[in-house]
Amino acid sequence: MSTTLAAGAGLDFTLAQQLTVIALCALTAYISHMALAVFNDGVRPFLLDFIQGRTTRSATTAVSFGLSAGFIFGLGAPMALSTGVLNPWLVFLPTDILGMLAPKKWLAPILGGAWGAVVVFGLNGANDVAHDLPVDFITAMQQMSTPILFLFTLFPVLAITKQFGRKWGGVAGGLELALVVLTMKLWPKMFAGALAMAVGVLMLIALAVARDMKQRKADKAAGVTGVVLDDDPMASLFSASAARLRRYLPLFMVLGAGVCVLAQMHIFGGGEATSFLIAKGQYTEAAQVDFYRVFGFIPLIATTALASGAYGIAGFTLVYPIGYLMPNPFLAAIVGAAVFALEILALSSIGKVLGKLPSVRDSSEHLRSAIGDTLQLAILFGSLMAANAMGGGLGILVVGGLYLLNDAMGRPVVRMAAAPAAVIVGGILLNVLYWLDLFTPIKG
């Protein structure tokens, strides 16, 4: 499988694509202003206090900015520039902030739409300028694709090892390695990790369900039953939150339609690995990758939504893989709206089911942790490869040094985003050194 992107991957959008991004940014900012949904999972728990009037809009905006800024500028922008594909950190995190920042309801969609215009018109100009520089750090960042795609394949193995121990982790690792080698040999045009990830995730779910079923049988034999009290304050809160979200069902259906259409246009990837797959035109593999990620996020999104009364901008993220596979935007809009409607209506039931499956709930946490671990290593390694491509040893010194300095300073830029941000800063610095006649760019 080729892991090289087409040279000069650009952000040149059609009018329909530009209007879709601008309209969706306006809509998501409006929804954020209403505290109905945000993209950042870390911000969602803080919205309950805002909804109930215990904190101010400005304080909530400060929380949103603090938790999102590093991802926007350190991960979202570099990934978009290097792949030519938009991502949720660049599109949705800023509208979380702008929507919450807007003091008036009518101002929120204007600010969101303005950000959408910056994305579709400004990034392409920045991309063109960067490609014309003596040290083309944007093209160098395409080196990140290989480690991200292949190391990401291992996230089910890490999750299984953390939850079920070394024995099952070893079995999963050996099985995934065999499947990757088999895929590369028999189906060279297919993403090598697709089949391995599918088997790994299914194995994790099977082990978790088996453990829960075994525990339920043991509890039943011991005469232990789960009882939920009618006056349980958490149950009351969950019920009120679900009812609040159902009241805005038509608005959520429009949101689901918009996100699904954006994914169908193939100018948007829901994750790091997905962005590179979309850039290569491997839409089926991209759908597989984002579908597997869903299992790690359903429990988190469902529980935080029920606890806070605010949903996720992309819902359970099922609209991503569905959108990639839709044949046209009209069908994508219909299906996306239907998916969001089902998610909102099923939220209470999903919460109850998860309450009865503690091992499955734990699996989702281990999956999210494993995804973070694999991507953190992959992004760091890929960033150092990019540094080597644009500046050899000096490039590695600058980019690696910036990454280590960020750690030593208490991580003002979140670790996941620090390495790509260091590549951009390092690339700019190498260009300055070139203009000062202190550095000769590497040919290649």
Side-chain angles (χ1 to χ4, degrees):
M1 182 196 74
S2 170
T3 56
T4 304
L5 302 184
L11 290 148
D12 194 9
F13 305 113
T14 65
L15 178 61
Q17 292 168 343
Q18 291 170 345
L19 293 176
T20 298
V21 173
I22 292 170
L24 187 58
C25 285
L27 176 63
T28 53
Y30 176 77
I31 289 173
S32 170
H33 175 87
M34 299 280 286
L36 288 172
V38 289
F39 180 77
N40 194 321
D41 296 319
V43 173
R44 200 171 303 117
F46 291 93
L47 291 184
L48 180 62
D49 284 343
F50 174 73
I51 291 168
Q52 296 183 348
R54 292 194 296 267
T55 190
T56 63
R57 181 173 294 279
S58 59
T60 310
T61 302
V63 169
S64 183
F65 181 83
L67 292 174
S68 301
F71 287 102
I72 296 168
F73 301 108
L75 189 61
M79 287 294 295
L81 289 169
S82 60
T83 62
V85 175
L86 300 178
N87 57 68
W89 307 286
L90 185 66
V91 177
F92 299 140
L93 286 182
T95 60
D96 281 1
I97 300 167
L98 293 170
M100 191 56 61
L101 175 68
K104 301 292 183 181
K105 191 182 296 187
W106 58 266
L107 184 58
I110 295 175
L111 293 176
W115 175 254
V118 169
V119 169
V120 294
F121 297 117
L123 275 180
N124 194 46
N127 190 57
D128 291 341
V129 169
H131 281 306
D132 290 337
L133 292 172
V135 180
D136 184 356
F137 53 87
I138 298 300
T139 298
M141 288 182 71
Q142 294 177 8
Q143 296 285 331
M144 295 169 63
S145 65
T146 301
I148 285 177
L149 289 173
F150 280 91
L151 287 175
F152 185 73
T153 301
L154 292 173
F155 78 85
V157 176
L158 298 188
I160 289 170
T161 305
K162 289 178 179 180
Q163 187 171 7
F164 297 101
R166 289 176 289 182
K167 176 185 172 183
W168 280 114
V171 171
L175 184 58
E176 281 211 5
L177 177 61
L179 289 172
V180 168
V181 173
L182 187 68
T183 302
M184 294 177 74
K185 182 69 175 176
L186 299 181
W187 305 289
K189 293 185 178 180
M190 178 179 172
F191 169 46
L195 183 59
M197 276 191 287
V199 172
V201 170
L202 289 174
M203 185 175 173
L204 175 66
I205 294 171
L207 288 169
V209 171
R211 176 180 284 183
D212 282 334
M213 292 300 102
K214 183 178 179 181
Q215 185 61 48
R216 289 185 71 179
K217 285 181 181 179
D219 289 345
K220 190 174 181 181
V224 178
T225 56
V227 179
V228 178
L229 300 176
D230 291 336
D231 60 351
D232 181 355
M234 287 305 294
S236 177
L237 173 62
F238 281 16
S239 177
S241 295
R244 178 178 189 259
L245 295 175
R246 285 196 297 270
R247 284 200 301 272
Y248 293 94
L249 185 62
L251 186 60
F252 280 114
M253 292 176 70
V254 175
L255 176 62
V259 176
C260 200
V261 168
L262 183 64
Q264 190 279 331
M265 289 179 164
H266 300 149
I267 59 169
F268 175 91
E272 299 89 345
T274 317
S275 293
F276 284 107
L277 289 169
I278 293 290
K280 300 172 195 298
Q282 296 177 309
Y283 308 130
T284 302
E285 288 86 345
Q288 286 179 275
V289 169
D290 271 355
F291 180 71
Y292 305 145
R293 288 172 64 114
V294 168
F295 295 103
F297 288 90
I298 284 181
L300 171 69
I301 293 167
T303 53
T304 54
L306 289 169
S308 68
Y311 200 43
I313 285 294
F316 293 146
T317 69
L318 273 169
V319 287
Y320 292 163
I322 290 171
Y324 303 148
L325 301 177
M326 287 290 104
N328 61 69
F330 303 105
L331 185 58
I334 294 170
V335 175
V339 168
F340 256 52
L342 290 173
E343 289 180 8
I344 295 293
L345 294 174
L347 206 51
S348 292
S349 299
I350 291 170
K352 291 175 183 176
V353 170
L354 290 172
K356 298 176 182 178
L357 298 171
S359 293
V360 173
R361 261 196 340 266
D362 291 345
S363 292
S364 77
E365 294 177 9
H366 287 299
L367 273 176
R368 291 197 310 277
S369 174
I371 287 171
D373 289 344
T374 53
L375 287 175
Q376 188 169 294
L377 176 61
I379 290 172
L380 174 59
F381 188 61
S383 296
L384 291 174
M385 290 173 63
N388 183 62
M390 69 184 184
L394 180 60
I396 292 174
L397 172 66
V398 171
V399 172
L402 288 171
Y403 179 85
L404 293 172
L405 183 62
N406 181 70
D407 251 19
M409 293 171 63
R411 297 176 196 157
V413 178
V414 290
R415 181 174 276 178
M416 185 82 77
V423 174
I424 290 182
V425 174
I428 293 171
L429 179 59
L430 290 176
N431 277 292
V432 171
L433 292 175
Y434 167 79
W435 289 322
L436 294 174
D437 202 22
L438 295 174
F439 171 72
T440 303
I442 292 177
K443 303 297 181 183

